[in-house]
Amino acid sequence: MHEGSWGISHTRVPTESRPGHVALIAGFYEDVSAVAKGASGNHVFAHNYDAYSEDFGAQDATKLDTWVFDNVKEFFHAARNNQSLFSKLNEDKIVFFLHLLGIDTNGHAHRPSSREYLNNIKIVDEGLKEIVSTLKDFYGNDGKTAFIFTADHGMTDWGSHGAGHPLETCTPFVTWGAGIKYPQKVLAQKFDDTYLQEWKLENWKRQDVNQADVAPLMAALIGVPFPLNSVGTLPVDILNSTDLFKAESMFTNAVQILEQFKVKMALKKEATLPFLFTPFNSLSDSKQINILRKARSYIKQKKYDEAVSLCKELINLALKGLSYYHTYDRFFLAFNVVLGFVGWTSYASLLIIKSHCNLTRGVSKEVKKPSHLLSCSFIAVGVLLALFLLIQACPWTYYIYCLLPLPVWYAVLREFPVIQGLVTLLLTFPPSHFVGYLLLFILGVEVLVLSFFYRYMLTAGLIAFAGWPFITPLWTRAKSTSLSWIFFCLLLAVFPLMPVVGRKPNIFLVVGAGLLVLLLSLFVVTSVLKRKDSLVSEELVLHLLQMLSTVLSICVVYGTHNSLLKKQGLPLINQVVSWIILASSFVMPLLSPLILFDRLFSILVSSMSTYLLLSTGYEALFPLVLSCLMFVWIHMEQETLPQSVVFCKQKVSSIQFTYNTDITQFRDLYLDDIRRAFFLVFFLMTAFFGTGNIASINSFDLASVYCFLTVFSPYMMGALMMWKILIPFALVMCAFEAVQLTTQLSSKSLFLMVINISDIMALHFFFLIKDYGSWLDIGISISHYVIVMSMTIFLVFLNGLAQMLTTKKLKLCGRPKSHLT
């Protein structure tokens, strides 16, 4: 209200410090692969505290900011007695960059609405006042210093950032001093948000900028060329300078961005066959020349506003042209991606049909060797494609996109007799049945897709699952099991309706979940004591150790929570115990018997000990309820099998996990097996989104790892949070291992069915990817596609982890390993 200009700086995803700093200083939004690079050159000098200072459990995170202020004041004080430093500081075109991290740390640790956060803002406010005074004193109040106050990113109300929520992408922008306009009164101004009303600044002109615009602004203020690859537009309305300077600066800005466009166009034109090249018509060579000539003419005629307006138009066209050439090959690459998806899904389906359906067994014997013409045709197409890409000097990734579908489709066409058999079978189906099953499958896939956007779709799916026993003979055949299924489906359906984890922490729910685990363990111990076999003592010791681990987890969670509330940091003993519990959780299950439910319960209790340490609220109950539903699912699937399918239907309580089961024991596949594959994918999605939208970076809560460490360590914290996410997945996959075993399913075929469902979803998300609209929409569309694409690799890992947890047995006290023979 007294000096300078202000507004909102709009950032881009990912809303993290490194990309934000690059956008502010270099004026472009860097590629993620550049994250490991740092400042270089003998013109950059840095002074910083060590990483251990950034402690989320520290007594006072404001010291991170006071450290900066104190060191800057000492730096200028020392310069008065150091002639070399004094000379350097009195040179022209100097930038001082102060990174104030205390507010961010307090926001993560205590939330932005906390007393600690608000107090930190006051300290920064006072610190800035002192720094401004120090600078003015040092330079003798010469009025040649400009100040810019902004942020690399924002923060959500629950203390997270990284995604595209407006709370994360909107940051303050305040600038004052040399070359900056004074505040301007206005009668009215319109913006899409409510900041003006909240701050009571409706009558003071607000001037918003994009984060990359700050770089050309700084360049103009200190009188250096605009950064070479900057895509920022100079906010000339902020400058307190002559109209001529503004017009010349905008002209230079336009030429600088236009050069990037011309280089991009030249590179694309050089690498494309002349008859295939389509230029960006909105900015032809003649139009570029005309606009530049007209802008220069306006400047000569002193029509500065018209010149600035024309230069802004040219910048917008050049930026659109940059985007056009950046996405020039989109359709070509997308077509090849779709070909690959459809080919792989077709081949996987044919493999399942060929291996497990009676209709193809007779056909497959008559299959002749594939024609040489077919293989020669595909080789010829491959060579032509490779030559086409070579002539155009395409990057190596293009070869993968274009050539990969060829062997896949060759493998599909080799199975032509199987395709014939499948078509013949489908023609014998009543059309109404076929259409009904197809619509049901499409509906199921759409529910899975929608669950990425709306978590309550998982609730709808679980409620539908609860009705499953009523449309099958299960309700009459196994009423008590069916009632359990309905109860746990409805109980699990509550979780997707809850707020995202971390936004409302509640330590008492975590303790409650631990007590429930102990109660379950007591029931199991009681049943073990009733048995009279030789392994009772060994099992009893294992159960008691796991119960002790759960008790320790409860104590550590409660103790750490209280210690952090008192700002006493993370107690060392709590940290050591937490890491021991985490390490033991990988070993404990492998000591348990291979009997199906004994092993699964051991996996659950060990996983819960770790999960409790990584929980902050209601999510601690989630794996417990999910596992109960998984136990019931195993029983339900056993009940769905008719006696004719399995030679001798074993009791679930007597089945043991085995490794290398003979493939000949597996039966043919039925429609019910497609349902089982769908159930697995749905339960994996529930494990994924049941307690939050982890497709968004801001769903991660750093408070989850405070039992293990509080000092900022992105890789370690990220690994711990990933393990927290993996635990529900592992529980679902272990249960699915049991379902495969009890129903004698082929794991290979079931796995292929699951991959097919995942690939259909991935194709769906591929068409939903956006590069326009809000940064929230763009970021979410990309993350959804990446998640589903990663699911295939992820499932391979989960399958291996589940097999290891369920089939491996470690020796205890020198006893030999037990195997089922």
Side-chain angles (χ1 to χ4, degrees):
M1 292 167 67
H2 302 292
E3 57 176 308
S5 297
W6 67 280
I8 301 292
S9 170
H10 298 277
T11 73
R12 289 191 182 182
V13 288
T15 44
E16 300 289 351
S17 292
R18 164 66 193 239
H21 291 167
V22 170
L24 288 167
I25 297 166
F28 67 89
Y29 304 101
E30 71 169 348
D31 189 82
V32 178
S33 63
V35 76
K37 297 178 182 175
S40 60
N42 57 7
H43 64 295
V44 178
F45 305 93
H47 184 43
N48 52 275
Y49 42 76
D50 58 61
Y52 292 102
S53 299
E54 194 179 347
D55 188 345
F56 297 110
Q59 187 171 358
D60 187 12
T62 58
K63 65 182 181 182
L64 299 176
D65 294 335
T66 53
W67 184 95
V68 173
F69 296 137
D70 292 343
N71 275 271
V72 170
K73 285 184 281 188
E74 286 174 22
F75 175 73
F76 281 103
H77 180 72
R80 294 185 185 276
N81 303 314
N82 184 327
Q83 189 56 46
S84 173
L85 181 58
F86 187 82
S87 300
K88 276 185 178 293
L89 291 178
N90 277 281
E91 291 174 2
D92 286 336
K93 303 172 183 177
I94 293 176
V95 176
F96 297 103
F97 181 68
L98 278 60
H99 186 205
L100 304 169
L101 197 59
I103 295 178
D104 182 74
T105 306
N106 266 320
H108 285 306
H110 304 289
R111 309 291 188 270
S113 58
S114 65
R115 181 171 48 82
E116 291 84 357
Y117 189 87
L118 297 174
N119 181 55
N120 203 152
I121 289 175
K122 288 179 183 176
I123 288 170
V124 166
D125 198 47
E126 287 299 318
L128 284 173
K129 186 178 178 181
E130 292 174 16
I131 292 297
V132 170
S133 177
T134 300
L135 277 161
K136 285 182 177 179
D137 288 346
F138 184 83
Y139 289 108
N141 289 303
D142 61 0
K144 293 182 179 178
T145 305
F147 299 89
I148 295 175
F149 180 83
T150 187
D152 41 17
H153 56 73
M155 183 175 279
T156 61
D157 291 336
W158 54 96
S160 296
H161 59 80
H165 192 280
L167 287 170
E168 299 162 274
T169 58
C170 291
T171 61
F173 173 74
V174 186
T175 180
W176 68 99
I180 302 297
K181 260 188 184 175
Y182 279 83
Q184 301 168 63
K185 279 268 191 178
V186 289
L187 292 173
Q189 49 188 335
K190 191 174 180 182
F191 288 91
D192 293 333
D193 51 59
T194 57
Y195 293 130
L196 286 170
Q197 292 76 24
E198 288 171 16
W199 300 334
K200 296 181 172 52
L201 292 169
E202 300 99 315
N203 297 321
W204 295 94
K205 190 172 183 182
R206 168 178 155 185
Q207 308 199 66
D208 285 11
V209 296
N210 289 321
Q211 195 173 53
D213 297 344
V214 178
L217 174 62
M218 288 196 290
L221 287 170
I222 63 173
V224 297
F226 295 122
L228 185 68
N229 295 302
S230 169
V231 293
T233 303
L234 177 65
V236 287
D237 293 337
I238 287 170
L239 296 176
N240 182 21
S241 59
T242 63
D243 290 340
L244 174 62
F245 178 82
K246 290 178 184 177
E248 288 286 2
S249 297
M250 277 304 298
F251 186 84
T252 307
N253 194 184
V255 170
Q256 171 256 327
I257 293 176
L258 182 63
E259 280 303 311
Q260 293 181 64
F261 164 79
K262 288 161 79 172
V263 168
K264 193 83 172 175
M265 182 180 72
L267 288 171
K268 182 52 64 181
K269 191 173 184 179
E270 206 175 280
T272 308
L273 294 171
F275 64 90
L276 292 176
F277 181 72
T278 308
F280 181 62
N281 293 323
S282 300
L283 194 56
S284 61
D285 291 347
S286 58
K287 188 165 186 176
Q288 294 171 34
I289 294 165
N290 286 338
I291 291 176
L292 289 173
R293 188 183 292 136
K294 199 171 183 180
R296 178 51 68 194
S297 173
Y298 279 144
I299 294 171
K300 284 182 179 177
Q301 296 169 29
K302 297 185 180 180
K303 295 180 179 178
Y304 300 122
D305 289 342
E306 289 87 342
V308 167
S309 178
L310 199 59
C311 290
K312 284 182 179 177
E313 182 191 333
L314 180 57
I315 286 171
N316 289 331
L317 285 171
L319 290 174
K320 284 180 184 175
L322 277 170
S323 177
Y324 171 80
Y325 286 117
H326 184 68
T327 58
Y328 188 83
D329 296 322
R330 174 178 289 177
F331 179 79
F332 173 65
L333 294 174
F335 177 74
N336 283 285
V337 169
V338 172
L339 266 182
F341 267 120
V342 175
W344 165 248
T345 306
S346 305
Y347 181 62
S349 303
L350 290 171
L351 274 182
I352 297 165
I353 293 164
K354 185 179 178 182
S355 304
H356 293 277
C357 290
N358 287 319
L359 74 113
T360 59
R361 283 177 184 165
V363 176
S364 60
K365 289 174 186 174
E366 300 168 10
V367 176
K368 296 178 182 178
K369 288 184 178 178
S371 165
H372 285 297
L373 180 63
L374 182 66
S375 53
C376 289
S377 301
F378 272 89
I379 290 168
V381 171
V383 169
L384 287 172
L385 261 176
L387 283 171
F388 174 73
L389 296 172
L390 189 65
I391 292 166
Q392 299 204 108
C394 292
W396 63 269
T397 49
Y398 280 44
Y399 289 86
I400 296 173
Y401 281 122
C402 298
L403 297 177
L404 199 58
L406 290 176
V408 175
W409 277 103
Y410 174 67
V412 170
L413 294 179
R414 273 174 60 110
E415 306 296 341
F416 187 72
V418 183
I419 298 170
Q420 279 183 311
L422 177 63
V423 171
T424 306
L425 174 69
L426 292 175
L427 289 173
T428 62
F429 256 61
S432 58
H433 286 198
F434 175 73
V435 171
Y437 285 130
L438 184 63
L439 288 174
L440 192 63
F441 179 77
I442 292 169
L443 177 66
V445 172
E446 285 305 309
V447 168
L448 291 173
V449 169
L450 286 171
S451 69
F452 277 70
F453 300 96
Y454 312 104
R455 286 171 59 215
Y456 60 78
M457 290 305 297
L458 295 172
T459 299
L462 287 164
I463 292 170
F465 281 10
W468 174 41
F470 298 112
I471 58 172
T472 61
L474 285 167
W475 180 249
T476 52
R477 192 185 298 169
K479 190 163 283 187
S480 59
T481 308
S482 297
L483 284 170
S484 300
W485 169 263
I486 293 165
F487 174 74
F488 285 113
C489 275
L490 296 177
L491 190 58
L492 192 65
V494 174
F495 284 91
L497 300 176
M498 303 283 277
V500 173
V501 166
R503 300 186 186 184
K504 292 183 180 177
N506 188 331
I507 205 68
F508 297 106
L509 286 175
V510 181
V511 172
L515 293 174
L516 282 174
V517 174
L518 285 176
L519 188 63
L520 273 174
S521 298
L522 280 173
F523 279 120
V524 173
V525 167
T526 307
S527 65
V528 169
L529 287 170
K530 290 178 183 176
R531 281 164 39 191
K532 296 180 180 179
D533 56 63
S534 59
L535 296 174
V536 166
S537 59
E538 190 177 304
E539 279 189 59
L540 198 58
V541 169
L542 180 62
H543 282 300
L544 291 173
L545 282 172
Q546 289 185 312
M547 288 175 73
L548 175 63
S549 180
T550 306
V551 170
L552 287 172
S553 292
I554 295 170
C555 294
V556 166
V557 166
Y558 191 74
T560 302
H561 177 72
N562 285 337
S563 179
L564 293 176
L565 276 181
K566 294 172 185 175
K567 297 187 178 178
Q568 294 173 351
L570 171 60
L572 181 61
I573 184 68
N574 288 19
Q575 189 175 23
V576 171
V577 170
S578 296
W579 284 105
I580 290 171
I581 290 170
L582 175 63
S584 66
S585 68
F586 295 99
V587 180
M588 289 282 194
L590 306 182
L591 297 171
S592 63
L594 286 170
I595 297 168
L596 191 143
F597 275 113
D598 287 11
R599 177 53 68 93
L600 288 178
F601 187 76
S602 182
I603 292 168
L604 168 63
V605 178
S606 292
S607 300
M608 279 301 296
S609 297
T610 303
Y611 202 85
L612 291 172
L613 295 170
L614 293 166
S615 298
T616 60
Y618 76 87
E619 83 271 21
L621 295 161
F622 180 71
L624 196 57
V625 177
L626 181 65
S627 293
C628 290
L629 182 60
M630 293 299 99
F631 283 127
V632 179
W633 183 34
I634 296 164
H635 277 292
M636 291 285 281
E637 292 295 358
Q638 176 80 345
E639 293 295 338
T640 59
L641 289 175
Q643 286 290 348
S644 58
V645 172
V646 186
F647 302 121
C648 182
K649 207 154 121 180
Q650 290 178 274
K651 284 187 176 180
V652 174
S653 58
S654 65
I655 296 174
Q656 292 196 20
F657 281 110
T658 55
Y659 198 57
N660 297 323
T661 313
D662 185 6
I663 193 71
T664 57
Q665 291 180 9
F666 293 130
R667 54 178 175 75
D668 289 337
L669 291 177
Y670 297 94
L671 281 173
D672 245 6
D673 298 323
I674 298 174
R675 175 191 55 73
R676 290 184 182 101
F678 177 78
F679 271 26
L680 172 63
V681 177
F682 186 90
F683 287 136
L684 287 172
M685 290 297 103
T686 305
F688 208 67
F689 293 115
T691 58
N693 178 19
I694 68 166
S696 175
I697 298 172
N698 69 24
S699 288
F700 293 105
D701 184 16
L702 290 178
S704 300
V705 302
Y706 287 171
C707 287
F708 293 90
L709 73 165
T710 53
V711 174
F712 184 61
S713 175
Y715 296 111
M716 187 61 72
M717 287 178 163
L720 286 167
M721 285 191 281
M722 281 306 298
W723 182 241
K724 179 184 178 181
I725 291 163
L726 276 173
I727 286 172
F729 285 131
L731 294 172
V732 172
M733 285 303 292
C734 288
F736 193 63
E737 283 287 313
V739 168
Q740 288 182 66
L741 193 63
T742 56
T743 57
Q744 292 195 359
L745 288 169
S746 163
S747 58
K748 176 189 170 185
S749 297
L750 257 292
F751 189 67
L752 285 172
M753 277 196 277
V754 170
I755 286 176
N756 269 0
I757 295 170
S758 302
D759 284 343
I760 292 166
M761 288 172 64
L763 193 58
H764 200 302
F765 282 116
F766 179 73
F767 288 112
L768 292 176
I769 290 177
K770 293 181 178 180
D771 65 346
Y772 58 88
S774 74
W775 284 106
L776 181 63
D777 295 338
I778 293 167
I780 286 175
S781 71
I782 294 169
S783 62
H784 283 169
Y785 176 65
V786 171
I787 286 168
V788 182
M789 279 294 293
S790 306
M791 193 180 286
T792 306
I793 301 166
F794 188 54
L795 282 171
V796 173
F797 167 74
L798 280 176
N799 194 48
L801 179 65
Q803 282 199 351
M804 184 196 77
L805 288 172
T806 54
T807 61
K808 297 292 181 184
K809 180 82 167 75
L810 293 180
K811 295 178 183 178
L812 184 66
C813 302
R815 288 183 181 274
K817 288 165 75 175
S818 59
H819 292 278
L820 181 70
T821 55

